[in-house]
Each structure stands twice: as C-alpha cells, then as structure tokens.
C-alpha cells in the first residue's frame, strides 16, 4: 500500500530506497542503487538480477506496479545474501489471487509546465509519457493463479548544442523508449507445496547519447540499447510447522550496445571493414570534436545461471533458535564482447 500511495517522479520504485535509514545511494552518479559493480546487489524473488557489465550503467528495470514489496539492507546481511560490498535490495513480485483484478494507469510530464532554462534563456523541450497495466486472477480456484504486468514509457528528448559555431548548433530529437513486463504463474500442489514460475522482460532504447553542449559536434550522437530476459522458478515445501525448504533456479541475460548514429556507406572509414554498424573517424580539435566517440561501437552480453537450495528450521532448547542451511551454484558467463576503441581512426588537430 505504501508503494502504491507514495508519489514518484518517473515511477522508478528503486527511488524509494532513498527513504530508508542508512541509505548510501544519495551520491550515486546515475540510477540508484550505486552504478558500481560489486557495491550493491538486487534480488527479485530470490534471483540475483544485478548485471555486472562494465560501464553500461543502470540495471534491468521492473515496473513499479509489478513489485509487491521490497527491503533495503545496508549492513550486516547474512551469508545467504553475499556478493556485495555495500547494500542488498530484496524485492518480491506480485501474484494472482482467487479474484480477477487489474489496474490501468498513466503518467506524464510536459515542457508546457516548465519555466525557461537559466543558461539557455528558453524553455528546453521535454516530455515523458508512461502507461502501465496489470491483470491477474485464478486459472483454477485455490490451485493455480497468474499475474501479468506491462509498462511502456516514451520520453521524447531534444539535445541542444551551444558551440561557438552557429551552423553546428542544431537540435537533435529522438525518443527514449522502454518496455518492461512480467508474467508469473503460481501452482499450489498441496497446502504445503507450491511452485512459482516468473518471466521478466526489459527493453530500452536511448538515442542521442554522448553529445550536446559546446564541445561536441552532432555527428557524435549514439544510440544505447539495453535488453534483459529473466526466467526464475521457486519450489517451496513446508516440511513441518518448524521447517521450510526452497529450491530456486533460473537464468538471466543482459545485453548492452552502443552504436553510432552516423555511419559510412558501404563499410568503415576509408573503405575499410565496418564492425557493429560502422561509425566515422574522429576529429579532435583543441576544444571541439567531430565524429564517432572513441569508445564506440560496443556490443556486450552476459549470462547468469543460478540454482540454490535453502532449508530453514527452528527448535526450542534454552530458547528459540532459527537455523538456515543451504547451497548455491552461481555461474557468470560473458558470452561475447565487441568493443571498438578508436578503431575508426582519430585525427588530432591541437594547434
């Protein structure tokens, strides 16, 4: 109820972690939690979904309407968490019930409600639209339930240029587009045994990156794509009123690509080969640059496979004691990595 009631600009549920005591995300350079590998971990339904690709920034997103509850742990988390120097975020997705129920909502921002920018002395073009829906219910009463969620966001963006060269100071327009979705089925075999299977999808396109301002030509614009697919299953068995065993397993895939928008026809520069969609040579003056960024293009992916078993039981002997036992197999695989670093050529004109 708190997650549904609290207003959020942008509707990113991870922003709610800033409200937690001892939250260390206040100085993060980009999306919370901190955009540094090893300093945080995100677990959704017990699955680690934190992507570990260097320099890609940001994590695979889930719609706020798909998350039922979450907790932020900033210190002293136990051995079942692990693999984080800083914080751990545990989240649980929603499930269906015996009643059919759903939601439909929208969110928007528009520059018609903005004042003029102090530096550019004009209203900077901006808008953002989001639409999200959920639906869930029974497949078989008291036995099988489903839950679905889909969210679409469209954020038209205009990148402005303020260089000393008026003919280069055009506006580049494009729309950031993001799709997130969750599908989940819960099957209760007996009152003591149940199985939950979840699939999650994330797809984002961000145009006109690494450009704008007074030192970069519009030809330096790039597209960023981020994609993730996750499959996860949890089998829960209540052995007794004092013991519960859970077996969990699945995989997640994350892909990051950084591709130049300006490309040579028929191949790379000077007739050479073109990898990952090409790009142009870079021309660096003392205070101005023209052409594809030095670190582009890029296409990187990772696969994470996990299977684990958790047994929890309690007993009375000189007081109540809770004991956890378990094991986990975790495999990280960098499937491919293509990173063109200055391979299109750089011409430096410093004087």
């Amino acid at each position: 109820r708190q997650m549904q009631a609290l207003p959020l600009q942008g509707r990113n549920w991870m922003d709610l972690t800033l409200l937690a005591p001892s939250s260390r995300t206040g100085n993060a350079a980009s999306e919370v939690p901190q955009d540094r590998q090893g300093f945080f971990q995100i677990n959704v339904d017990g699955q680690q979904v934190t992507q570990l690709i260097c320099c890609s920034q940001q994590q695979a997103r889930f719609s706020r309407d798909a998350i039922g509850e979450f907790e932020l742990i900033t210190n002293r988390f136990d051995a079942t968490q692990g693999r984080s120097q800083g914080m751990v975020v545990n989240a649980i997705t929603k499930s269906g019930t015996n009643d059919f129920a759903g939601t439909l909502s929208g969110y928007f921002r528009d520059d018609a409600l903005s004042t003029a920018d102090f530096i550019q002395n004009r209203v900077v073009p901006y808008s953002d639209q989001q639409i999200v829906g959920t639906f869930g219910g029974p497949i078989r009463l008291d036995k099988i339930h489903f839950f679905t969620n889909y969210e679409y966001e469209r954020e038209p963006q205009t990148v402005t240029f303020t260089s000393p060269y008026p003919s280069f100071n055009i506006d580049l327009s494009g729309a950031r587009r993001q799709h997130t979705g969750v599908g989940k089925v819960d099957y209760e075999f007996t009152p003591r045994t149940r199985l939950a299977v979840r699939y999650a999808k994330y797809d984002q396109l961000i145009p006109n990156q690494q450009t704008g301002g007074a030192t970069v030509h519009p030809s330096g614009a790039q597209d960023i794509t981020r994609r993730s697919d996750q499959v996860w299953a949890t089998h829960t068995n209540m052995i007794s009123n004092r013991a519960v065993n859970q077996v969990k397993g699945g995989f997640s895939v994350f892909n990051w690509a950084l591709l130049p928008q300006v490309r040579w026809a028929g191949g790379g520069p000077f007739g050479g080969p073109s990898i990952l969609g090409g790009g142009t040579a870079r021309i660096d003056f003392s205070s101005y640059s023209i052409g594809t960024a030095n670190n582009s293009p890029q296409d990187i992916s990772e696969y994470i496979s996990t299977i684990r078993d958790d047994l929890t039981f309690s007993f009375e002997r000189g007081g109540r004691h809770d004991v956890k036992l378990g094991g986990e197999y975790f495999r990280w695989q960098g499937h491919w990595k293509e990173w063109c670093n200055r391979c299109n050529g750089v011409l430096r004109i410093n004087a």
Side-chain angles (χ1 to χ4, degrees):
R1 288 195 295 268
Q2 286 179 317
M3 291 187 67
Q4 293 175 350
L6 290 172
L8 281 175
Q9 178 173 295
R11 301 187 74 256
N12 179 14
W13 65 274
M14 289 297 300
D15 288 343
L16 292 173
T17 62
L18 295 169
L19 302 177
S22 302
S23 174
R24 291 180 252 173
T25 61
N27 295 323
S30 61
E31 235 179 86
V32 293
Q34 289 175 334
D35 179 34
R36 288 188 289 172
Q37 288 73 29
F39 279 77
F40 67 91
Q41 180 178 320
I42 306 173
N43 302 313
V44 178
D45 298 324
Q47 179 185 26
Q48 178 179 321
V49 298
T50 317
Q51 61 88 0
L52 304 173
I53 296 176
C54 168
C55 318
S56 67
Q57 301 182 358
Q58 304 187 17
Q59 300 297 319
R61 297 189 187 182
F62 289 77
S63 170
R64 176 184 179 179
D65 294 50
I67 302 297
E69 58 182 284
F70 77 93
E71 66 174 353
L72 173 68
I73 307 174
T74 57
N75 53 27
R76 295 182 67 112
F77 41 82
D78 61 37
T80 63
Q81 308 288 333
R83 290 190 296 274
S84 176
Q85 298 182 45
M87 65 189 70
V88 172
V89 178
N90 292 317
I92 299 174
T93 56
K94 295 179 180 178
S95 296
T97 67
N98 274 338
D99 298 317
F100 288 105
T103 63
L104 180 65
S105 59
Y107 170 91
F108 81 97
R109 295 172 63 192
D110 193 270
D111 56 36
L113 306 174
S114 302
T115 187
D117 181 78
F118 180 77
I119 301 298
Q120 301 191 37
N121 197 31
R122 63 166 178 156
V123 174
V124 179
Y126 181 78
S127 67
D128 181 46
Q129 306 91 37
Q130 298 179 39
I131 184 168
V132 55
T134 65
F135 187 69
I139 299 176
R140 180 180 175 186
L141 287 176
D142 299 321
K143 283 290 185 181
I144 310 175
H145 305 88
F146 75 95
F147 173 81
T148 59
N149 161 257
Y150 172 72
E151 179 171 316
Y152 172 70
E153 180 176 6
R154 176 181 178 271
E155 183 183 18
Q157 299 174 336
T158 300
V159 178
T160 61
F161 295 83
T162 57
S163 73
Y165 316 107
S167 61
F168 292 160
N169 293 337
I170 64 174
D171 287 347
L172 290 181
S173 298
R176 180 181 70 85
R177 300 178 185 273
Q178 178 176 292
H179 305 264
T180 59
V182 166
K184 187 177 182 182
V185 175
D186 294 271
Y187 185 12
E188 187 175 287
F189 297 98
T190 70
R192 291 180 174 269
T193 307
R194 63 179 294 178
L195 174 68
V197 179
R198 170 181 56 80
Y199 170 74
K201 176 73 175 179
Y202 165 68
D203 194 323
Q204 185 185 68
L205 167 66
I206 310 175
N208 301 324
Q209 290 297 292
Q210 296 189 351
T211 189
T215 61
V216 180
H217 185 269
S219 61
Q222 303 178 87
D223 288 335
I224 292 178
T225 62
R226 300 187 180 98
R227 298 184 177 93
S228 176
D229 292 275
Q230 302 163 16
V231 176
W232 189 248
T234 303
H235 182 272
T236 304
N237 182 23
M238 297 183 62
I239 302 172
S240 69
N241 59 353
R242 290 181 175 269
V244 177
N245 188 77
Q246 278 194 329
V247 179
K248 306 173 184 177
F251 68 90
S252 65
V253 182
F254 187 88
N255 173 261
W256 142 275
L258 179 65
L259 303 177
Q261 292 183 0
V262 178
R263 306 173 185 178
W264 291 76
F270 316 116
S274 173
I275 72 165
L276 302 174
T280 71
R282 181 79 165 185
I283 305 176
D284 288 335
F285 298 93
S286 58
S287 60
Y288 195 73
S289 297
I290 300 175
T292 299
N294 291 330
N295 65 337
S296 177
Q298 300 176 28
D299 191 353
I300 309 171
S301 292
E302 72 170 12
Y303 290 83
I304 296 179
S305 302
T306 308
I307 185 169
R308 64 181 291 164
D309 183 88
D310 294 285
L311 172 63
T312 303
F313 64 92
S314 62
F315 63 92
E316 302 281 349
R317 182 170 296 177
R320 178 187 171 90
H321 303 275
D322 294 319
V323 179
K324 294 182 179 181
L325 300 173
E328 179 181 40
Y329 173 77
F330 181 91
R331 182 174 188 235
W332 180 90
Q333 180 183 7
H335 187 62
W336 71 75
K337 179 175 182 178
E338 296 179 341
W339 189 324
C340 175
N341 204 11
R342 299 182 177 86
C343 68
N344 285 318
V346 180
L347 176 63
R348 291 190 173 92
I349 306 174
N350 297 324

